Amino acid sequence: MTDGGGTANHGSRGPLLLTPGPLTTSATVKQAMVRDWGSRDDGFIALTRSVRDTLTGLAGGRGTHTTVPLQGSGTFAVEAMLGTFVPPNGAVLVAANGQYGRRMAEICGRIGRTVMVDEVPFHRPLDADAIGRRLDADPAIGHVAVVHCETTTGILNPLEDIAAVVAQHGRRLLVDGMSAFGALPVDAAVVPFDALAASANKCLQGVPGLGFVICREAALSDAAGNAPSLSLDLHDQWRGFEANGQWRFTPPTQVLASLAQALQELANEGGPPGRLDRYRQSCAVLTDGMAALGFRPYLAPAVQAPIIVTFHMPGHPRFEFDRFYGGLKDRGFVIYPGKLTNEATFRVGCIGDVNADDMRAFLAAVTAVLTADGIDLRVGVR
Ligand SMILES: *Cc1c(COP(=O)(O)O)cnc(C)c1O
């Protein structure tokens, strides 16, 4: 991996992951993993308590909500949330505009919950009024599940409006906030939700291996015995923490320690508003620069969250995605294939420990890769 300039690895930073996670982490977050912790160690118990409390605070949930961390990737946390909060005889409406919404519906089916799926086209945000009409029409629906930022495309869903409608209808909201939490604002005092699932390795910029669910404590307390799974039972996991501060099963000790460091770095950056500012700047440099090179974004700017950007695959006869991907990887940048089934796209993430200067370096790499193959997307097909 060298481009002759010695920058392919970005010094000691390694390749930059412009992906939806795992993503680029700081050196200090990686360094926080070098020591061992016993799971019954007082220091580790205190660390767990402090991370839980900080996460609850980030969601504006102190006094009403509690955070239950869980071993595994983000999907484990989403599955635990759905299984714990939707009772065995309950019915859940999944409003979906991407693959992660569909995944929630698939989970509900697997665990035997009655699930209804209302899909909107993937380039359109979810419609709070349509959800309200659906709830009027179907009194059996007790829970609504939505994705905050649909990472499939990078679209931002109107979480505040949806939460208000669900609350007006006396139903409960479950949120997959995976790719938004830590950057896009969510305040439990204003946005009523029973549970919000996220993970260490997206906007919090920790390493992968740990998810968590921020739960309204009264709802969690009522959820005893709901979960169809032993290890994914958030109620029991919570009871374990409350009883002795310990994890029920082997904790991902190094991952938690690095998350504690990542949360400190989030605070140093000015919390979620500061982080969102940086992501916005990176996203603006990326989208402007790619447009200038002739790439077309999939989403309208008004609905694009500054998290991950989907681009149409260029129609240029010499453009081949595998060559493009490989050329960028050789220059130290990892991008991501698209997740749309009906359209050829690719994605570039704005989250992680990268900034606007890194995005400028990425654009220079894109330019170099295209130039090497004699491709100019601005002049179209000749
Ligand atoms: C990343 C992500 C997940 C979880 O994915 P894992 O691969 O299980 O970590 C869930 N929902 C959304 C919206 C995501 O972006």
Side-chain angles (χ1 to χ4, degrees):
M1 280 222 333
T2 173
D3 61 1
T7 57
N9 267 320
H10 308 281
S12 60
R13 294 174 73 194
L16 294 190
L17 305 179
L18 304 182
T19 60
L23 36 69
T24 311
T25 57
S26 69
T28 36
V29 161
K30 289 186 267 282
Q31 280 153 11
M33 290 189 290
V34 297
R35 68 160 280 195
D36 296 317
W37 301 81
S39 60
R40 291 159 177 268
D41 180 323
D42 286 346
F44 186 72
I45 287 172
L47 195 67
T48 299
R49 191 182 308 116
S50 139
V51 165
R52 290 179 59 208
D53 180 62
T54 302
L55 293 171
T56 307
L58 282 174
R62 284 207 180 96
T64 52
H65 290 62
T66 187
T67 297
V68 184
L70 188 71
Q71 301 91 334
S73 86
T75 303
F76 291 58
V78 172
E79 186 158 343
M81 171 176 79
L82 292 165
T84 302
F85 283 89
V86 182
N89 60 356
V92 55
L93 170 68
V94 177
N97 56 348
Q99 304 293 357
Y100 291 100
R102 285 182 176 172
R103 185 180 292 174
M104 288 204 287
E106 187 184 351
I107 290 169
C108 291
R110 277 290 185 101
I111 64 178
R113 300 312 192 238
T114 302
V115 58
M116 279 139 273
V117 189
D118 279 0
E119 272 202 12
V120 306
F122 287 10
H123 64 280
R124 286 216 212 112
L126 297 177
D127 178 347
D129 294 334
I131 293 173
R133 288 192 294 277
R134 175 68 152 174
L135 295 178
D136 283 332
D138 196 339
I141 297 168
H143 289 81
V144 175
V146 296
V147 177
H148 189 181
C149 170
E150 237 311 344
T151 323
T152 306
T153 59
I155 200 167
L156 179 63
N157 283 319
L159 187 63
E160 292 80 3
D161 298 348
I162 294 169
V165 163
V166 172
Q168 277 156 22
H169 285 76
R171 315 300 172 82
R172 308 296 184 78
L173 181 65
L174 307 176
V175 184
D176 172 351
M178 206 70 55
S179 62
F181 189 72
L184 295 172
V186 52
D187 181 355
V190 185
V191 178
F193 62 82
D194 267 13
L196 182 147
S199 79
N201 71 292
K202 298 227 169 157
C203 300
L204 296 179
Q205 297 183 186
V207 301
L210 185 152
F212 55 89
V213 184
I214 299 166
C215 306
R216 192 165 64 81
E217 209 166 308
L220 183 60
S221 177
D222 286 346
N226 281 351
S229 158
L230 176 74
S231 54
L232 301 183
D233 185 336
L234 292 175
H235 178 273
D236 282 6
Q237 183 92 339
W238 173 56
R239 285 281 181 243
F241 287 123
E242 297 299 306
N244 59 10
Q246 293 176 21
W247 295 63
R248 278 187 304 163
F249 309 121
T250 304
T253 46
Q254 279 79 8
V255 178
L256 188 88
S258 70
L259 178 58
Q261 172 64 25
L263 289 169
Q264 184 56 54
E265 293 176 16
L266 176 62
N268 296 347
E269 193 172 1
R275 182 146 297 176
L276 184 61
D277 269 353
R278 173 164 57 84
Y279 290 173
R280 279 206 178 109
Q281 287 169 28
S282 296
C283 187
V285 169
L286 173 71
T287 50
D288 292 353
M290 290 294 272
L293 288 169
F295 289 92
R296 287 188 305 121
Y298 173 77
L299 292 175
V303 299
Q304 172 74 61
I307 302 292
I308 187 164
V309 182
T310 301
F311 294 97
H312 289 284
M313 205 64 87
H316 193 287
R318 279 205 296 280
F319 185 91
E320 282 174 42
F321 181 70
D322 289 349
R323 274 188 70 77
F324 183 63
Y325 179 93
L328 291 173
K329 186 158 179 270
D330 287 346
R331 288 166 173 79
F333 296 96
V334 179
I335 63 169
Y336 221 61
K339 216 180 183 6
L340 297 171
T341 45
N342 53 343
E343 269 170 284
T345 56
F346 66 91
R347 292 179 290 170
V348 183
C350 309
I351 58 179
D353 185 36
V354 295
N355 60 27
D357 284 340
D358 295 315
M359 284 301 179
R360 287 184 195 100
F362 170 71
L363 292 167
V366 171
T367 307
V369 170
L370 293 179
T371 306
D373 280 343
I375 298 171
D376 184 346
L377 299 174
R378 292 162 304 178
V379 298
V381 182
R382 274 182 290 194

